[in-house]
Amino acid sequence: MRSSLRRSPVVLAFTTALTLLTACGEGMSEDDPFGQASQALLNGVGSTAARAALTKRWAPIHYQDVDVTGSHSLGGKSDFISRVDFDGDWSGTNNWDNTGSRALTAHAYQSVVETSSHWYLLYTFFHPRDWSDSIFDTEHENDGEGVLLVVKRDGSEYGALVGAVTVAHKDFFSYVPTGSPLTSGSESLDGTLSLATFEGVAHPITAQEAKGHGLKAWPYYDIVGDGVKYYPSLTLAEQPDSATDSDVRYKLLDIYGSEGLWQRRDLTTLFVSDGTFRGDTGGGCGLAAGNCGTNSANAPWGWDDQNDGPILSGEIAKDPAKLAAYYFSPSSQFSTTYTFNPFKGIGADPNQP
């Protein structure tokens, strides 16, 4: 059962007003343990507290479609988001097996990369299973997809959200909120980034499909029938009460930190190669012989769009300024000199408080 100590969320009010794209004067919410740490953002994101404050401010309200059909759905549980070590270990080859017997408390991994002009906030949502209820579809162990938010450093405490790029399997999709100064660049825009009010400020809304868990901006994917609505927290990680639950908190984890993935990038029990999770065919994966893939999921530094020209595999995490300048226009707005980018070895100690 979920904790009853937190407040119920405010009623969501969808809005596209430009005034909601900034967060001037916002105070830290009641579940933020860092007090005035957000003030450090004006000096950069070299501390875990500053990154937590920034990523909590813009973290998506996340809609997860849920399918309860078929034995591999586990009554909908296979569509719940969780952390990679939900089963208490850092092995990638038993996550499919352990999905049914362990709690899937909601988490998302956040990372921040900084230039003088923008912050690039990446959110990774993990599922232990990419599954199917058809013998004609493939399945695989582990599934990581997410969204890159582009936040302009405009002198305000948290900047202004100006764009997003989402990951749906082997394709990236780009969006801008109403009022953004950005337009389509070398890639055409795929739609408008919708916002909703949570804890008094606007957050983007993302959505993942059931089974394969491709991620787009809402409503380009949406909940159809059963589904879970997740809201961000720095302290609470809840498991949905059912396949239809409209109020679940997911906890943000710093991908660079002690609970994160980046420090484990060379762990051979978790990764088979750079940015690719190790996964096998055990635990009953595959409804028919031969339709369970191995080593089929990626961490952010392994995400790749199959046809976006000069953007290389993993650059959505490692070189997001390059990606933003390619996907959006005017490209001249984007500084490509990083002041904090642990993926490239640039910045302060990621464990610094």
Side-chain angles (χ1 to χ4, degrees):
M1 297 296 292
R2 297 203 307 271
S3 168
S4 61
L5 297 179
R6 60 171 172 77
R7 295 181 301 173
S8 298
V10 297
V11 176
L12 295 180
F14 295 113
T15 178
T16 55
L18 178 60
T19 55
L20 289 180
L21 296 179
T22 60
C24 299
E26 179 203 359
M28 298 304 293
S29 65
E30 66 181 28
D31 66 348
D32 173 37
F34 299 113
Q36 299 301 313
S38 60
Q39 294 296 329
L41 291 171
L42 298 177
N43 299 318
V45 289
S47 74
T48 56
R51 292 194 300 277
L54 180 62
T55 56
K56 170 56 167 38
R57 166 61 190 91
W58 292 114
I61 296 167
H62 191 61
Y63 289 4
Q64 175 64 66
D65 192 27
V66 172
D67 193 330
V68 300
T69 62
S71 61
H72 288 185
S73 74
L74 300 176
K77 189 178 181 182
S78 292
D79 289 319
F80 294 173
I81 62 173
S82 194
R83 54 192 291 161
V84 172
D85 60 331
F86 72 96
D87 54 357
D89 63 43
W90 292 102
S91 170
T93 56
N94 61 8
N95 288 334
W96 178 285
D97 317 48
N98 291 335
T99 302
S101 61
R102 308 298 174 86
L104 294 185
T105 54
H107 291 78
Y109 296 93
Q110 53 88 352
S111 61
V112 184
V113 167
E114 178 187 76
T115 68
S116 61
S117 62
H118 291 81
W119 288 306
Y120 298 93
L121 315 182
L122 194 62
Y123 301 86
T124 302
F125 296 96
F126 177 81
H127 298 79
R129 295 183 175 190
D130 180 303
W131 66 281
S132 173
D133 58 0
S134 169
I135 62 172
F136 301 105
D137 294 330
T138 59
E139 303 178 297
H140 60 79
E141 188 165 41
N142 303 317
D143 196 12
E145 305 191 39
V147 57
L148 174 71
L149 299 183
V150 181
V151 176
K152 181 176 177 59
R153 299 180 68 180
D154 62 355
S156 64
E157 187 177 21
Y158 294 105
L161 177 62
V162 294
V165 178
T166 72
V167 179
H169 313 302
K170 295 182 179 180
D171 289 292
F172 295 168
F173 295 86
S174 57
Y175 308 89
V176 295
T178 299
S180 172
L182 301 181
T183 59
S184 60
S186 297
E187 296 280 333
S188 59
L189 291 176
D190 295 293
T192 300
L193 183 64
S194 296
L195 307 176
T197 299
F198 172 63
E199 295 183 338
V201 292
H203 290 255
I205 313 170
T206 53
Q208 281 187 276
E209 61 184 355
K211 303 178 184 177
H213 307 135
L215 192 152
K216 294 183 179 181
W218 180 88
Y220 304 97
Y221 282 145
D222 201 356
I223 291 173
V224 180
D226 296 303
V228 177
K229 294 182 179 181
Y230 291 101
Y231 301 88
S233 172
L234 293 176
T235 58
L236 291 177
E238 301 176 332
Q239 178 171 276
D241 284 338
S242 68
T244 302
D245 194 333
S246 62
D247 179 17
V248 182
R249 296 292 186 273
Y250 71 87
K251 182 179 178 180
L252 289 163
L253 298 177
D254 192 331
I255 203 169
Y256 308 130
S258 61
E259 297 180 275
L261 302 177
W262 182 240
Q263 292 187 12
R264 295 176 172 85
R265 61 192 180 276
D266 297 322
L267 185 63
T268 57
T269 59
L270 184 60
F271 293 104
V272 68
S273 60
D274 187 32
T276 298
F277 289 112
R278 185 180 292 277
D280 64 17
T281 61
C285 175
L287 290 170
N291 70 353
C292 179
T294 61
N295 309 327
S296 300
N298 296 300
W301 58 97
W303 289 345
D304 191 21
D305 182 280
Q306 58 191 338
N307 56 6
D308 63 354
I311 305 303
L312 304 178
S313 176
E315 288 188 329
I316 190 171
K318 294 181 177 181
D319 200 355
K322 174 186 174 183
L323 180 141
Y326 179 78
Y327 272 76
F328 301 108
S329 180
S331 60
S332 58
Q333 288 196 12
F334 299 102
S335 168
T336 56
T337 300
Y338 293 104
T339 53
F340 183 81
N341 186 346
F343 291 121
K344 287 181 171 288
I346 300 169
D349 179 357
N351 293 314
Q352 176 184 331

